[in-house]
Amino acid sequence: MSLKRRREPVSVDAQAVEIYEDLANENEEIRLKAAHSLLTRVSSEKSPSLEELQRILKRLFRGLASSRKAARLGFSVALTEFLQQHCISDQIDRPVLEVATVINVLEEQTRASAGVSGQEERDHYLGRLFGAEAIIKSGILSLPEPPVAQWERVLDIIFELAKKKSWLREECGWVLCAALKDLHIMDPIYIEVLFEKLHSTGLTKTPEGVGLWITAQQAYPDIKYPKHVWHHGNPLHRKETASLARILKETSTHHAAEGTAKKTSQRGTWTSRLHFSWDVVFKALLLDRPKQLAFSDLWTEAVDNGLFAAASSDERKYWGFLLFQKYVQILPIASFGIILGPNFLRCMINQLSSAQRYLHRIAEKSLRAIHSRIDQDPQITSVVIQRFIANGYANFDHLTKTKTVEKLLSQANMQALRDIIPIFGHLIHRPEAQDVKGASATRQLISDYLVSLVRTTPSPVEGDLLWTEYHRCMFAITTIFLKHAYFEIIPDVNDAAKSPKPPVSSGSREMFKSRLMSCLSHLMVKSENSAYHPYEVVNTIRLYETQTETYTPLISFDKESGIAEIIRKAWKTIKKLHKDEQSADPARTDYLQAFELLYTLTILQVYNGDTDAVSIIDELQTCFKVLYDSKIPIDRGKASETLVEIILSLVSKPSLLFKRLAQQVFSVCTSAVNANGLQSMMMVLETKENVSGQQEIFEQEDSDGGSDVLVSDVEEVDGEIPHTGIALYDTAHSPNMSDVGSSLDGQFQDDNSDTTDDELAEFDAKLAQALGTRRLDEDLAANEEESSDEDMDDEQMEALDEQLETVFRERKKLTSKKNEKKEAKETIILFKSRVLELLEIYIKQQYLNQQALTIILPILSLVQTTSNKQISEKACNLIRDYLKLYKLKNRLNASVLPETTKLLLEAVHKEAKEEGSNAHANACSQASLLLTKIYITNGGDLSDVISQYAVTQLAFMTEPDCHIRTSFFSDWLNWCTSAKKALTTPEFATHFAKSRSTNQCPLKLNPIVDLGFSEPIEALGLLNFVPHDAPKKEVCRNLIDDDIQLYWLK
């Protein structure tokens, strides 16, 4: 038997294997640590042999051709440092690797053998490129020893890869470009060799060639470059704009080299990454050197008219968006508008308009990039807005279904506002549309933008440096509106641009009035002096009326009617108020500003065509003189009532502006409101929420009624009325009314849901009768012989037409009547809501006024009778606020008889017994506690209140018609617990002394007949109300004013 030869043991360097393994690790720290370990093993201190260095060199080059993990990154770093250490010798006896040897090893180890797969071939090509890059980065080619031939060999390797594999061309160009920027090769001959190779391979007029040429010119401006390639040897020459744009777009180009026509193909595959040459070119253009083409010219040619052209592919447009996102962050303000070209905007609008577009997400990202830049430089807002408008995209938000322009306007600073407002003003003056309809639409759109500016621009604090600039901008906006709303601009023969074109339509003028009121509504809230801007508006109108050469007033007042004289006197009063404000003390300033505001806005209503405003001014003149000058011997109560009526007429209009105006005036005049004024407000709350109630309160006919108020700022608030389009409520200032408008629809539908089906059935029946047909579900088995096949003659057709007209006419009347009922209900609910808001102001300021007690019962009645939930909640909150404001330490500021409060308390308890909602029960409980506090703090005895609650509790237990809630008594007990500490103080001791000293029930009990009840009295909880000396079997009774009975059980 033959013996097997023993295998020789193979020595394996486990540490080296681990190092090479770690060089391919995806963790960068591990790769760097492995590279450091490898270099340490072959450092000069270790004295490695030449064979060992060559073995490591081969292994590093082989690693570059590996596609495993991050092998190319780790091996290229190690190779670069290895070549720096062992190709440059600082010791005579130390072995050194020759540059030629290194290049030979590179070519040998990265050569793809025949028959390998496509992936392996790709790995070898990439390894060769990474190896060439490592040799260049190591700096061994810039040493004085190696000849230029070695540099040429490396260039040949790189250019061969670029020509052979188009998908590697950009990487090859990037390697050479990085070498020019980072290594700074000192000998110009290297650069000349580079461009000779570049030109001979036909890659000069490629994106890579352009990037190399521009980079080299910046680092080495004095060397000789190939001739007859670019004008004056500069690819950035003005005459090279079209050629450069074509090259950057990577279209095929033809250029001559050595007398032959060569064609350079595009990159092999599309990539989502931008070519590095774009950045090289545009950054060079930003330097703005002499005889160099402008940044704007190349951007327009290559990007806007190139990448974003209508015929461009989605891939090219994607590159365009990437370029935009890059330069939107770095361009100076002066050049920012260049990148917002017409084709770019068109493309972005198309992509933003639908989420299904291929480039929708990158378009959204580009839009966010604009907002991000504006956050840094708010002044750019004006540039963006101007480009939108200049390219015909004033309706950008509508086209893209976004709120881009609104957000841009909210980001603008004062400097941007100064530029934006004239742009908008010019567009209103002369829209791009030539027809009246299109011009009106544009004017309305721009007007909405101006209102948005007023709404979103924060108001600086008075005295701030920007305060004057802010009010100047706001004044410019209001001037644009009033100029086109109230005046006709006279054409100038010498300057036709001064007159609007197309002419402003009547509908646009009404719209301008509406937007002006919206602006004033917002400015009233944002300005410390709410009358400042309304005064400036009226003052400007009066000024324009005197400039007859330029402006013609659209409303002229006949002297015989006296309107002009009334306005003249009112304006005189306004100027007096405005002057007195400057010297008045702070307490009186609010009063003067409120009346100035009331005067100015009422005059504006006269200019708006409101016929009632003239009479309001006349009445206002009278009551103001009385309230303003205490020396005038006129009935102040009458003047106060007139003022309340004026305020009520303002809040009856569906306008946020008038609501704020009324509240401001009312807040400074609450002390002057008398009982009759409060009664006028109570009458509104008692009005029925239907057509008859509307006719009663507005004194209008059933069919001819209508509001003279302009639909001014009502579109700016929430709670939209669906039929009229008028928004009634401002949720920001009336939180309890935020859902009034929406709830009306549901409630109205609930009220009529039972009748809708019957009405439709009746309509179907009439229609079927007129046509002589049946519904399909009525008689499916009808005999076909019943229907006639004969055609109808003319007389029968005419008779049928008349019948159909009658049926549809009745249907239209019915629908119109239902809409009328709904609108009437909405109007009354709006009016009640506004009155409740006025009462909230009154209670906050006059809760110690005895007149405030008169609103309690009407409020409780409103909670019981209203059909609107929000009105009920608002009324309940009013009582609750009243209760919170009035403390046990308070007293009314005028003497009030305790008997009056006691009667009110009894009336509230009687109201609480009525059947109603939970809101009504809670309101009655709160009102009872309120009156309790008022009664005992103004001379009343607590025992009287306890007696009243006892009577009410007995009625709750014995009367079947008493629907009082148990919470009524639990609230009372809770209040007693919380108020006990305050009621035991010496201040209240005298009030309750009599009640404590007498040991009997405060109720007067009279014996009556025996009812024969057998239940023990303790079971009904009435023992506490029985006098100690009263017989337990005697039946007692006390007759109260509201017929409540108290029984003793036998």
Side-chain angles (χ1 to χ4, degrees):
M1 182 177 64
S2 61
L3 296 175
K4 292 182 179 180
R5 188 173 58 180
R6 181 177 298 177
R7 180 178 297 178
E8 295 293 333
V10 178
S11 61
V12 178
D13 191 344
Q15 185 180 6
V17 172
E18 183 180 358
I19 289 175
Y20 291 131
E21 180 69 23
D22 288 345
L23 283 176
N25 197 288
E26 294 178 347
N27 189 318
E28 183 180 7
E29 293 183 2
I30 296 177
R31 293 198 306 268
L32 294 177
K33 184 177 179 181
H36 181 268
S37 300
L38 177 63
L39 296 174
T40 303
R41 285 169 59 93
V42 294
S43 62
S44 58
E45 290 80 5
K46 303 291 183 179
S47 301
S49 63
L50 183 61
E51 291 77 9
E52 184 179 0
L53 293 179
Q54 291 177 346
R55 185 175 66 254
I56 294 175
L57 181 65
K58 292 179 181 180
R59 182 65 184 89
L60 291 176
F61 276 126
R62 281 203 312 271
L64 293 178
S66 172
S67 60
R68 181 170 56 91
K69 299 181 181 179
R72 293 192 183 94
L73 297 177
F75 278 86
S76 63
V77 170
L79 177 60
T80 302
E81 296 297 326
F82 179 81
L83 293 176
Q84 285 182 343
Q85 289 186 12
H86 300 287
C87 288
I88 304 174
S89 177
D90 54 356
Q91 299 177 9
I92 300 176
D93 57 347
R94 174 185 163 190
V96 177
L97 293 172
E98 298 292 337
V99 176
T101 304
V102 172
I103 298 175
N104 291 334
V105 174
L106 169 64
E107 292 177 338
E108 177 185 350
Q109 296 298 323
T110 59
R111 181 181 297 112
S113 59
V116 298
S117 64
Q119 180 61 41
E120 290 178 338
E121 184 182 25
R122 176 187 176 90
D123 292 338
H124 281 84
Y125 287 143
L126 287 173
R128 178 165 292 194
L129 179 61
F130 271 83
E133 181 183 16
I135 292 174
I136 295 174
K137 283 186 176 180
S138 66
I140 62 176
L141 294 176
S142 60
L143 297 176
E145 292 82 5
V148 180
Q150 305 305 325
W151 169 245
E152 291 181 356
R153 289 182 63 189
V154 174
L155 292 179
D156 287 338
I157 292 174
I158 295 176
F159 284 121
E160 181 184 2
L161 289 173
K163 290 289 291 182
K164 191 172 185 179
K165 298 296 179 182
S166 57
W167 51 271
L168 270 178
R169 186 188 306 157
E170 180 182 352
E171 285 72 16
C172 294
W174 170 254
V175 169
L176 295 176
C177 193
L180 293 176
K181 289 190 296 185
D182 299 335
L183 300 182
H184 301 292
I185 301 173
M186 302 306 295
D187 195 342
I189 191 173
Y190 283 84
I191 308 303
E192 294 176 0
V193 169
L194 169 61
F195 279 94
E196 288 177 3
K197 295 285 185 181
L198 179 69
H199 189 57
S200 63
T201 54
L203 296 176
T204 307
K205 289 196 172 182
T206 61
E208 296 77 22
V210 171
L212 284 171
W213 198 295
I214 295 174
T215 303
Q217 278 189 331
Q218 292 175 348
Y220 311 97
D222 300 327
I223 68 172
K224 296 180 180 180
Y225 292 94
K227 297 182 179 180
H228 310 296
V229 178
W230 308 101
H231 282 82
H232 300 285
N234 184 9
L236 299 181
H237 195 274
R238 295 172 184 173
K239 294 184 179 181
E240 296 290 352
T241 304
S243 176
L244 188 59
R246 272 197 313 273
I247 294 171
L248 290 175
K249 289 186 295 182
E250 298 188 57
T251 56
S252 299
T253 57
H254 294 268
H255 41 137
E258 300 178 0
T260 60
K262 295 185 179 181
K263 182 177 180 180
T264 304
S265 62
Q266 303 178 45
R267 279 195 290 183
T269 56
W270 179 84
T271 175
S272 61
R273 185 185 67 254
L274 270 176
H275 198 286
F276 75 89
S277 58
W278 285 101
D279 205 27
V280 173
V281 171
F282 281 118
K283 284 187 176 180
L285 292 179
L286 289 176
L287 299 177
D288 195 18
R289 292 175 176 173
K291 297 183 180 180
Q292 181 175 275
L293 67 90
F295 179 93
S296 58
D297 294 339
L298 184 61
W299 184 277
T300 302
E301 182 69 23
V303 181
D304 200 62
N305 295 335
L307 300 181
F308 286 113
S312 290
S313 63
D314 289 333
E315 290 79 7
R316 291 186 183 278
K317 291 175 182 176
Y318 186 89
W319 285 344
F321 280 117
L322 291 179
L323 277 171
F324 177 83
Q325 293 171 18
K326 185 177 185 66
Y327 286 94
V328 75
Q329 301 296 338
I330 62 177
L331 275 181
I333 296 178
S335 305
F336 192 83
I338 297 170
I339 61 177
L340 297 170
N343 288 329
F344 164 74
L345 291 176
R346 174 189 50 77
C347 180
M348 186 165 68
I349 289 172
N350 290 338
Q351 300 300 328
L352 288 173
S353 61
S354 173
Q356 305 302 320
R357 306 278 185 177
Y358 290 125
L359 303 178
H360 178 77
R361 294 180 64 182
I362 194 170
E364 287 184 325
K365 190 175 181 181
S366 299
L367 200 57
R368 290 194 296 269
I370 295 176
H371 292 302
S372 175
R373 176 63 191 277
I374 292 178
D375 285 337
Q376 303 172 11
D377 299 307
Q379 188 181 348
I380 295 180
T381 305
S382 59
V383 180
V384 178
I385 296 295
Q386 194 275 334
R387 295 303 297 170
F388 282 179
I389 293 175
N391 290 292
Y393 298 121
N395 58 341
F396 185 90
D397 286 0
H398 175 73
L399 295 173
T400 59
K401 302 174 185 177
T402 63
K403 294 185 178 180
T404 302
V405 176
E406 288 189 18
K407 185 175 180 180
L408 290 174
L409 295 178
S410 66
Q411 294 177 286
N413 58 7
M414 290 301 164
Q415 188 174 358
L417 285 183
R418 286 201 305 267
D419 299 330
I420 293 173
I421 294 173
I423 295 173
F424 283 162
H426 176 74
L427 198 57
I428 285 178
H429 191 68
R430 290 195 162 225
E432 298 174 354
Q434 298 300 319
D435 60 306
V436 176
K437 185 177 180 180
S440 298
T442 301
R443 284 167 174 154
Q444 181 171 349
L445 178 67
I446 300 303
S447 298
D448 291 338
Y449 287 154
L450 288 173
V451 174
S452 179
L453 271 178
V454 175
R455 183 178 64 250
T456 58
T457 305
S459 175
V461 180
E462 186 170 356
D464 191 276
L465 296 177
L466 296 176
W467 186 87
T468 303
E469 192 63 36
Y470 168 80
H471 287 285
R472 188 177 299 164
C473 291
M474 297 302 105
F475 175 73
I477 293 175
T478 56
T479 302
I480 291 173
F481 287 140
L482 71 87
K483 179 170 60 176
H484 294 287
Y486 302 112
F487 297 93
E488 182 76 38
I489 301 177
I490 300 175
D492 192 341
V493 179
N494 300 324
D495 189 0
K498 289 185 177 181
S499 58
K501 183 181 179 181
V504 181
S505 64
S506 59
S508 294
R509 295 192 191 280
E510 294 301 316
M511 181 270 299
F512 287 137
K513 295 176 185 178
S514 162
R515 300 307 184 267
L516 176 61
M517 293 300 181
S518 295
C519 293
L520 294 179
S521 175
H522 295 297
L523 292 173
M524 278 176 55
V525 179
K526 301 172 73 171
S527 302
E528 295 184 7
N529 182 359
S530 57
Y532 177 84
H533 289 283
Y535 174 83
E536 292 297 330
V537 168
V538 176
N539 187 32
T540 305
I541 292 176
R542 301 285 294 181
L543 177 64
Y544 281 6
E545 285 179 336
T546 62
Q547 299 177 4
T548 55
E549 300 83 5
T550 307
Y551 302 102
T552 301
L554 295 173
I555 297 180
S556 57
F557 305 108
D558 189 2
K559 293 183 178 180
E560 297 180 358
S561 64
I563 298 178
E565 181 62 19
I566 292 175
I567 294 179
R568 187 191 65 79
K569 292 181 179 179
W571 178 242
K572 184 178 179 180
T573 304
I574 292 174
K575 290 196 292 185
K576 175 178 174 58
L577 288 169
H578 192 71
K579 181 180 179 181
D580 292 347
E581 285 178 27
Q582 314 303 323
S583 57
D585 57 85
R588 191 168 176 77
T589 299
D590 293 341
Y591 182 84
L592 297 176
Q593 289 179 359
F595 271 94
E596 180 184 349
L597 182 63
L598 184 56
Y599 267 106
T600 52
L601 292 181
T602 308
I603 289 179
L604 272 181
Q605 280 302 101
V606 175
Y607 283 101
N608 289 338
D610 189 352
T611 55
D612 295 335
V614 178
S615 60
I616 291 177
I617 293 178
D618 199 17
E619 295 173 353
L620 188 60
Q621 284 284 83
T622 303
C623 70
F624 173 72
K625 289 179 181 178
V626 177
L627 298 175
Y628 183 73
D629 191 352
S630 59
K631 298 180 181 179
I632 299 179
I634 303 178
D635 185 7
R636 295 184 176 276
K638 185 65 176 178
S640 172
E641 296 168 19
T642 302
L643 182 60
V644 171
E645 292 295 336
I646 293 174
I647 292 173
L648 290 178
S649 69
L650 293 175
V651 297
S652 66
K653 305 176 188 297
S655 167
L656 177 60
L657 175 62
F658 291 140
K659 167 191 168 182
R660 291 173 175 169
L661 167 62
Q663 290 178 353
Q664 180 161 350
V665 176
F666 188 76
S667 64
V668 300
C669 302
T670 53
S671 59
V673 177
N674 59 13
N676 291 334
L678 285 178
Q679 182 60 30
S680 299
M681 302 172 73
M682 296 304 104
M683 289 176 60
V684 176
L685 301 182
E686 296 169 358
T687 304
K688 296 180 180 179
E689 298 170 359
N690 52 27
V691 177
S692 62
Q694 184 186 34
Q695 293 172 353
E696 176 186 352
I697 199 168
F698 292 108
E699 299 179 354
Q700 62 182 13
E701 297 296 331
D702 187 17
S703 59
D704 298 332
S707 176
D708 295 330
V709 65
L710 265 176
V711 181
S712 56
D713 57 325
V714 292
E715 76 281 355
E716 296 296 330
V717 295
D718 295 334
E720 184 178 339
I721 294 181
H723 295 290
T724 61
I726 300 176
L728 296 180
Y729 310 107
D730 179 16
T731 56
H733 294 78
S734 181
N736 294 327
M737 291 301 294
S738 59
D739 300 323
V740 173
S742 59
S743 66
L744 291 177
D745 294 335
Q747 293 181 11
F748 188 82
Q749 292 171 1
D750 293 339
D751 296 340
N752 295 275
S753 59
D754 297 334
T755 61
T756 302
D757 294 338
D758 296 337
E759 292 171 356
L760 288 176
E762 182 181 357
F763 173 71
D764 290 342
K766 290 181 179 179
L767 189 60
Q769 182 180 1
L771 296 174
T773 60
R774 290 188 181 92
R775 285 171 46 184
L776 292 177
D777 57 349
E778 287 184 351
D779 191 3
L780 296 176
N783 191 349
E784 295 182 0
E785 295 180 358
E786 295 179 4
S787 62
S788 175
D789 293 334
E790 297 179 0
D791 295 334
M792 302 177 67
D793 55 23
D794 294 341
E795 294 181 358
Q796 290 175 328
M797 290 292 293
E798 292 178 0
L800 179 61
D801 289 341
E802 293 178 359
Q803 293 178 8
L804 291 176
E805 288 179 4
T806 303
V807 172
F808 283 104
R809 191 182 303 113
E810 293 177 356
R811 177 65 177 174
K812 185 177 181 180
K813 289 181 180 179
L814 180 62
T815 304
S816 177
K817 190 173 182 180
K818 290 172 64 176
N819 291 337
E820 182 182 0
K821 290 180 180 178
K822 184 175 181 179
E823 291 174 3
K825 183 176 182 178
E826 291 167 346
T827 302
I828 296 301
I829 288 179
L830 166 66
F831 201 0
K832 288 184 177 182
S833 172
R834 298 287 176 81
V835 171
L836 287 173
E837 291 170 359
L838 293 179
L839 289 175
E840 289 176 7
I841 296 173
Y842 183 82
I843 289 300
K844 288 179 180 178
Q845 298 186 8
Q846 300 295 324
Y847 65 93
L848 296 179
N849 192 330
Q850 61 173 345
Q851 289 183 164
L853 298 177
T854 61
I855 74 170
I856 294 178
L857 290 179
I859 293 297
L860 296 179
S861 177
L862 174 64
V863 177
Q864 178 76 322
T865 58
T866 184
S867 61
N868 185 268
K869 180 180 178 181
Q870 281 70 32
I871 292 292
S872 176
E873 291 177 353
K874 185 177 282 264
C876 292
N877 291 336
L878 181 61
I879 297 294
R880 186 177 297 110
D881 293 342
Y882 197 171
L883 175 62
K884 291 179 180 179
L885 288 170
Y886 195 92
K887 309 296 183 182
L888 283 173
K889 61 183 179 180
N890 296 133
R891 291 181 64 88
L892 297 181
N893 53 19
S895 60
V896 58
L897 295 176
E899 289 76 10
T900 303
T901 310
K902 184 178 180 181
L903 290 175
L904 273 175
L905 181 63
E906 294 175 359
V908 169
H909 279 239
K910 182 177 180 179
E911 179 75 21
K913 297 176 185 178
E914 300 295 331
E915 186 175 4
S917 62
N918 290 333
H920 178 256
N922 293 334
C924 290
S925 178
Q926 299 287 319
S928 177
L929 297 178
L930 169 64
L931 291 171
T932 297
K933 290 200 291 185
I934 294 176
Y935 181 67
I936 63 178
T937 55
N938 288 274
D941 198 333
L942 179 61
S943 60
D944 295 335
V945 179
I946 297 174
S947 299
Q948 184 61 54
Y949 270 94
V951 171
T952 305
Q953 186 175 9
L954 186 60
F956 165 69
M957 303 189 67
T958 59
E959 296 183 7
D961 294 335
C962 181
H963 301 284
I964 198 167
R965 306 292 177 94
T966 55
S967 60
F968 188 85
F969 302 106
S970 61
D971 290 345
W972 158 250
L973 293 176
N974 291 335
W975 180 84
C976 290
T977 303
S978 62
K980 181 179 179 180
K981 184 177 180 180
L983 295 178
T984 54
T985 59
E987 181 182 355
F988 290 97
T990 57
H991 295 179
F992 311 138
K994 182 178 179 181
S995 176
R996 293 196 187 98
S997 61
T998 58
N999 190 20
Q1000 64 179 17
C1001 176
L1003 297 179
K1004 297 181 180 180
L1005 306 174
N1006 299 319
I1008 58 172
V1009 297
D1010 185 357
L1011 295 182
F1013 287 175
S1014 59
E1015 292 85 351
I1017 192 169
E1018 292 86 350
L1020 296 179
L1022 301 178
L1023 187 60
N1024 293 333
F1025 301 122
V1026 179
H1028 290 278
D1029 57 351
K1032 292 294 187 288
K1033 295 185 178 181
E1034 181 182 12
V1035 179
C1036 300
R1037 174 182 181 184
N1038 182 35
L1039 298 178
I1040 310 301
D1041 293 340
D1042 56 1
D1043 202 23
I1044 297 178
Q1045 297 180 357
L1046 177 63
Y1047 294 98
W1048 253 248
L1049 305 184
K1050 180 179 179 182

